[in-house]
Amino acid sequence: MGYKVVVVGATGNVGKEMLNILAEREFPVDEIAALASRKSLGTEVSFGDRTLKTQDLDAFDFTGWDIALFAIGSDATKVYAPKAASQGCVVIDNSSLYRYDPEIPLIVPEVNADDVVRYKNKMIIANPNCSTAQMVVALKPLHDRARIKRVVVATYQSVSGTGKEAMDELWNQTKGIFVPGQEVEPKVYPKQIAFNVIPHIDVFLDSGETKEEWKMVAETKKILDPKIKVTATCVRVPVFVGHSEAINIEFEDFLDWEEATDILREAPGVLVVDKREAGGYITPIECVGEYATYVSRIRQDSTIENGLNLWCVSDNLRKGAALNAVQIAEVLGSRCLKKG
């Protein structure tokens, strides 16, 4: 006997990817429903070799359904996630709404899968920010070996993290630069994204950091270790899919780069590509459609006593969102719900 699964926000980038990954990983589905807002009612989406018609989220009854994967914004999630949870369906939420609630587990399965049992608190599990998810997958095995004191990270985040309109804006601006009269003014972003980088993701806080930067700090502490000091600079770059991160790590104990490389090669969810030669590293284009978190450029930081630098790349629509949500569903199923 398998699971009755709902994908909420099935017409969006992440919702579509959730359906793809559920099919690819052969998640034990007995029945599946694709939900969307009324304006998208009846839109067809793919699930493996099947085609599903979206149903109306407003009218849907979650009673009798096991798991709901949510890929809608925080405002809508605030309305529909408690409804699903109250009707006995476990919600795995991709928005930021519940990530900082101490009663709700924030899960990256390679890092803190044991916390999944806490879903019973509110029948909700939170999926972390895409940039946090890939970083903690790389940090966890190193933290287990040498205890991380401090992380300094600069992100290079693709426009798909903002959504389809942002991807369209990058595409149209890029074309417009080469075609006189077809220039496209920025609407999604405050400045031109084509052939540019923007050091601004989400809103600015009083501290001077953006909310995206604050999220990386708060979520790393909640998922990995509250004692770790984290500082982030988050930058939007003209890449369609795939987030990259330059990570500087300070440890309590010395960790040689060669040992770190060996540890990462054995770590779940990590693939090391690090040849120390031209092209011997991963870039965002090569990670698109892949499950792994890739690590390259592993090297000692000689400016501090116990430091390492590394480069981390992942498909943000997959590991940063849809894949992580499906992996949470897999852990929830195997450890708690025990069907399939």
Side-chain angles (χ1 to χ4, degrees), residues 108 110-111 131-145 148 151 153 220 223-224 245 247 249 251 255 260-261 263-272 292-296 298 308-314 319:
V108 175
E110 296 92 338
V111 178
S131 49
T132 305
Q134 69 186 68
M135 184 172 76
V136 296
V137 168
L139 293 182
K140 165 67 172 170
L142 303 178
H143 184 56
D144 287 346
R145 160 63 180 80
I148 295 172
V151 174
V153 57
T220 301
I223 295 166
L224 191 56
E245 298 171 349
I247 307 173
I249 312 164
F251 297 91
L255 178 60
T261 301
I263 290 169
L264 288 166
R265 286 191 193 282
E266 299 298 320
V270 175
L271 273 178
V272 174
T293 294
Y294 290 90
V295 177
S296 307
I298 305 163
L308 283 178
N309 289 302
L310 55 85
W311 175 251
C312 178
V313 180
S314 191
K319 185 54 192 169

Side-chain angles (χ1 to χ4, degrees), residues 18 108 118 130 179 197 264:
M18 286 173 170
V108 175
R118 297 178 55 237
C130 47
V179 182
V197 297
L264 288 166

Side-chain angles (χ1 to χ4, degrees), residues 23-287:
E24 284 175 17
R25 293 174 73 91
E26 299 182 344
F27 188 82
V29 171
D30 262 5
E31 192 174 344
I32 189 158
L35 306 188
S37 63
R38 274 192 189 147
K39 67 179 181 181
S40 301
L41 192 61
T43 301
E44 293 186 343
V45 291
S46 297
F47 174 63
D49 57 4
R50 294 168 54 189
T51 299
L52 308 176
K53 282 193 174 181
T54 57
Q55 301 178 48
D56 184 5
L57 173 57
D58 275 328
F60 192 78
D61 184 355
F62 290 89
T63 304
W65 293 81
D66 299 301
I67 299 170
L69 304 179
F70 270 61
I72 53 179
S74 293
D75 290 343
T77 298
K78 189 181 294 185
V79 175
Y80 297 105
K83 175 185 173 184
S86 70
Q87 292 173 349
C89 182
V90 183
V91 171
I92 300 172
D93 176 37
N94 195 61
S95 82
S96 61
L97 182 63
Y98 296 111
R99 291 175 188 161
Y100 316 107
D101 185 329
E103 293 297 305
I104 291 177
L106 180 64
I107 302 292
V108 175
E110 296 92 338
V111 178
N112 62 337
D114 290 347
D115 287 349
V116 78
V117 297
R118 297 178 55 237
Y119 83 94
K120 294 178 181 177
N121 290 344
K122 293 188 177 180
M123 294 292 284
I124 297 171
I125 300 170
N127 207 29
N129 186 37
C130 47
S131 49
T132 305
Q134 69 186 68
M135 184 172 76
V136 296
V137 168
L139 293 182
K140 165 67 172 170
L142 303 178
H143 184 56
D144 287 346
R145 160 63 180 80
R147 309 311 293 173
I148 295 172
K149 290 172 62 176
R150 181 172 185 255
V151 174
V152 181
V153 57
T155 71
Y156 307 77
Q157 295 179 226
S158 66
V159 296
S160 58
T162 308
K164 183 180 182 300
E165 288 184 356
M167 297 174 78
D168 291 343
E169 182 158 293
L170 171 58
W171 173 251
N172 292 325
Q173 279 183 355
T174 302
K175 286 192 299 180
I177 286 169
F178 295 102
V179 182
Q182 292 189 20
E183 295 83 1
V184 175
E185 290 297 313
K187 292 182 180 177
V188 176
Y189 295 118
K191 292 179 182 277
Q192 176 183 307
I193 185 61
F195 300 96
N196 199 16
V197 297
I198 303 173
H200 170 198
I201 300 177
D202 211 323
V203 298
F204 277 91
L205 306 177
D206 290 342
S207 62
E209 62 188 342
T210 64
K211 194 170 182 183
E212 183 82 357
E213 293 158 352
W214 176 85
K215 288 175 189 174
M216 290 195 74
V217 175
E219 293 174 22
T220 301
K221 288 175 174 288
K222 183 172 179 180
I223 295 166
L224 191 56
D225 188 334
K227 295 178 183 177
I228 296 175
K229 295 178 180 179
V230 183
T231 183
T233 300
C234 295
V235 182
R236 193 69 71 187
V237 297
V239 170
F240 284 106
V241 178
H243 287 356
S244 305
E245 298 171 349
I247 307 173
N248 176 265
I249 312 164
E250 182 181 358
F251 297 91
E252 290 183 9
D253 301 318
F254 179 76
L255 178 60
D256 178 79
W257 72 267
E258 291 177 302
E259 183 184 354
T261 301
D262 290 339
I263 290 169
L264 288 166
R265 286 191 193 282
E266 299 298 320
V270 175
L271 273 178
V272 174
V273 179
D274 194 6
K275 295 182 180 177
R276 296 194 165 188
E277 62 186 40
Y281 41 79
I282 285 287
T283 61
I285 283 176
E286 296 147 313
C287 80

